[in-house]
Amino acid sequence: MTETGTGPTEAFDTPPLRRLRYFHGQNLGARDFQREQEYFREKLKLRMRSLLGYGVVCGLYVRPVRHHDDCPPDHHEVAEDTEGTEGSAERGRRRAEVRLTPGLAVDCDGNEVVVRGGCVIDLWKALPRDERDTDTVWIGVEYAERPVEPTRAVYNDACAETSDCEYGWTEECCTVRVTGCEPPADERCDTCCSRCEHKTLWLARIDCVDWYEPVRADQIHMNIRRPFGTHVPTVITGINWIHGHTYTVDEAKALLGTQDEDGGLVVRFSDGVRTDTLRRGVVEIQVIEGGSGRNASTWYMGGAFADPHVESDTGSAAEPAADATTESTGSHRFTREFRYRQTTRETLQDGDRVLVTVRAAFLLDRCCRPVDGTHVGGRVPTIDTGATGATEVEGRRGCDLPPSGIGPWTSGTGSGGDVFESWFFVKER
């Protein structure tokens, strides 16, 4: 007979869900009603973080400011270290301030963080003293509570001491956090069964801060924020060619790496992609012939991945190369970019269109989820490699930022997978 038992398992990180059971003649106190509130709050938070996820829902932009405008105290509190003995004259000379706009977010515990009114944050005052030797800071918000509306109790509790004045309500607010240390990333693949350790929702990174000068817009980088959802999809953040641009034949050869082993098309990702998913057929280069007379014939250009160690179109394996963008985790290797170069000798002609296809649904990230590869509007930015000296496509106007308002553009619609498509044209000279 085989015995079956229950070994130690990982616990589901949520408090016991016990609700009040009413009955006739029951004696209820303040603690009973508090626990009933906690029951419904925990259920709502569990549903929020498990089914919907967490992150910034809307607003909460960090903008430069030139005129001081104190944060209304009833909107949120600023966590700061008091200056102490520093003179008011020195504090007055510091001008590094930013404005936080109203908005809504949900932290990793399921709490809703609401900022009802915009305010200005003095970065020097909000930064802890032991972190003031830096010129790069991060700004975030954190859920908080505070008691409000004091009132007097009608009678004292026989079982516990009751003060003459008690607060009758709890106001949900938030605290602004500023740090000079890079915040840790949430590397969990599943936000359902476990809570994260860091409750702060980071909104922006500010580089090259001069405490005595106003913060400029180009110093503020809001792409570090986490969009609301159960996970952050891996997306394509850059390519080394200009979508829709026209290159000369020689420029196209250099770009494709036809005669240069260090050349090739480069695709960059927001996070690591498993190198074992970079296989034959994932990337295709299709040439659509143009020129005068008969055209529109198509042919496929042979190619191979240059970095890291993957199979080529001919069935052979490319030699592994040391690359700062490639890293190992356990038995798996990940890369944040790949280079795909032409390995055959076909030539391009005047009027040809080169169509580059990356089947993102077959590229898996650290959590074995597909890369979100839809090339929305053809606006994935160009990696500045200096290879061709070309500039962005002329005539592109409007939609400088994606709908979220946080740039730069990347691939993806939030659904995951799909096909990344891009093309460029060829001219004789």
Side-chain angles (χ1 to χ4, degrees):
M1 180 177 178
T2 303
E3 292 185 2
T4 59
T6 57
T9 58
E10 185 177 352
F12 191 85
D13 189 7
T14 188
L17 299 176
R18 297 176 180 174
R19 67 180 185 271
L20 191 59
R21 180 177 177 272
Y22 297 98
F23 60 89
H24 184 71
Q26 186 178 13
N27 183 24
L28 299 176
R31 180 55 185 157
D32 297 309
F33 293 107
Q34 291 170 359
R35 291 179 62 184
E36 187 176 38
Q37 279 190 356
E38 291 173 1
Y39 167 79
F40 288 107
R41 292 187 71 244
E42 288 297 333
K43 291 278 283 186
L44 290 173
K45 293 195 304 183
L46 176 63
R47 184 179 307 164
M48 177 71 76
R49 70 172 183 266
S50 299
L51 299 180
L52 302 177
Y54 74 98
V56 177
V57 179
C58 64
L60 300 180
Y61 300 118
V62 179
R63 306 295 192 192
V65 66
R66 294 183 180 275
H67 302 287
H68 189 68
D69 180 19
D70 288 332
C71 294
D74 60 334
H75 286 178
H76 65 272
E77 303 167 353
V78 176
E80 63 177 71
D81 216 356
T82 306
E83 287 293 318
T85 60
E86 283 200 42
S88 58
E90 182 180 357
R91 291 197 301 269
R93 291 197 299 270
R94 296 196 178 95
R95 305 168 64 189
E97 298 174 332
V98 293
R99 182 185 301 277
L100 177 63
T101 67
L104 169 66
V106 177
D107 69 9
C108 60
D109 205 20
N111 296 299
E112 297 170 358
V113 182
V114 181
V115 178
R116 296 190 301 276
C119 69
V120 168
I121 304 164
D122 187 318
L123 298 180
W124 179 264
K125 290 182 179 180
L127 192 65
R129 283 192 177 186
D130 57 348
E131 299 178 9
R132 290 175 176 173
D133 57 346
T134 180
D135 62 353
T136 301
V137 297
W138 286 261
I139 297 178
V141 290
E142 185 175 323
Y143 175 82
E145 295 180 351
R146 61 183 178 188
V148 294
E149 298 190 24
T151 185
R152 294 185 180 276
V154 176
Y155 61 89
N156 294 332
D157 188 349
C159 299
E161 294 184 1
T162 304
S163 62
D164 293 336
C165 184
E166 290 287 346
Y167 290 95
W169 294 83
T170 298
E171 182 180 10
E172 298 181 352
C173 54
C174 69
T175 300
V176 175
R177 299 292 184 188
V178 179
T179 181
C181 303
E182 183 174 2
D186 186 0
E187 297 183 350
R188 298 176 303 161
C189 292
D190 187 1
T191 62
C192 174
C193 297
S194 62
R195 300 184 185 181
C196 66
E197 300 178 358
H198 309 283
K199 310 298 183 183
T200 304
L201 287 163
W202 298 105
L203 304 175
R205 185 188 74 246
I206 305 177
D207 295 332
C208 304
V209 177
D210 185 339
W211 306 111
Y212 303 96
E213 296 293 334
V215 177
R216 304 185 310 273
D218 61 346
Q219 296 176 263
I220 303 175
H221 305 279
M222 290 185 284
N223 55 348
I224 69 164
R225 63 178 55 203
R226 177 190 174 101
F228 183 69
T230 56
H231 70 281
V232 179
T234 300
V235 296
I236 297 175
T237 59
I239 52 180
N240 71 333
W241 69 94
I242 300 175
H243 173 74
H245 188 69
T246 300
Y247 294 95
T248 65
V249 174
D250 292 337
E251 288 175 342
K253 286 182 179 179
L255 186 61
L256 294 167
T258 305
Q259 299 172 349
D260 183 7
E261 293 185 357
D262 294 329
L265 302 176
V266 177
V267 177
R268 185 170 295 172
F269 303 96
S270 61
D271 201 355
V273 173
R274 293 175 61 106
T275 58
D276 58 357
T277 61
L278 297 175
R279 298 180 177 274
R280 287 189 298 163
V282 170
V283 177
E284 281 185 350
I285 302 177
Q286 183 180 3
V287 179
I288 304 174
E289 295 181 347
S292 59
R294 181 181 178 183
N295 53 32
S297 297
T298 63
W299 51 274
Y300 289 90
M301 181 180 292
F305 290 101
D307 295 316
H309 184 82
V310 292
E311 294 181 349
S312 68
D313 277 350
T314 59
S316 60
E319 291 297 324
D323 193 328
T325 63
T326 305
E327 55 188 277
S328 299
T329 303
S331 60
H332 304 296
R333 298 183 67 212
F334 302 90
T335 182
R336 287 180 177 264
E337 70 176 38
F338 68 76
R339 183 161 54 89
Y340 190 86
R341 59 179 296 267
Q342 181 185 5
T343 56
T344 55
R345 294 296 179 181
E346 295 96 344
T347 59
L348 297 172
Q349 298 179 356
D350 182 71
D352 287 352
R353 178 163 71 104
V354 180
L355 175 63
V356 182
T357 301
V358 181
R359 293 181 173 86
F362 295 87
L363 298 177
L364 303 182
D365 62 11
R366 300 176 186 273
C367 297
C368 294
R369 293 190 175 100
V371 172
D372 197 355
T374 307
H375 195 185
V376 181
R379 294 183 178 272
V380 170
T382 304
I383 302 171
D384 185 15
T385 61
T388 63
T391 58
E392 290 290 346
V393 177
E394 298 81 2
R396 178 180 290 178
R397 296 291 185 271
C399 295
D400 295 330
L401 294 175
S404 64
I406 306 299
W409 279 86
T410 65
S411 69
T413 60
S415 302
D418 209 345
V419 176
F420 177 89
E421 291 184 318
S422 180
W423 57 83
F424 57 87
F425 300 93
V426 178
K427 64 181 179 180
E428 187 173 351
R429 61 177 62 88

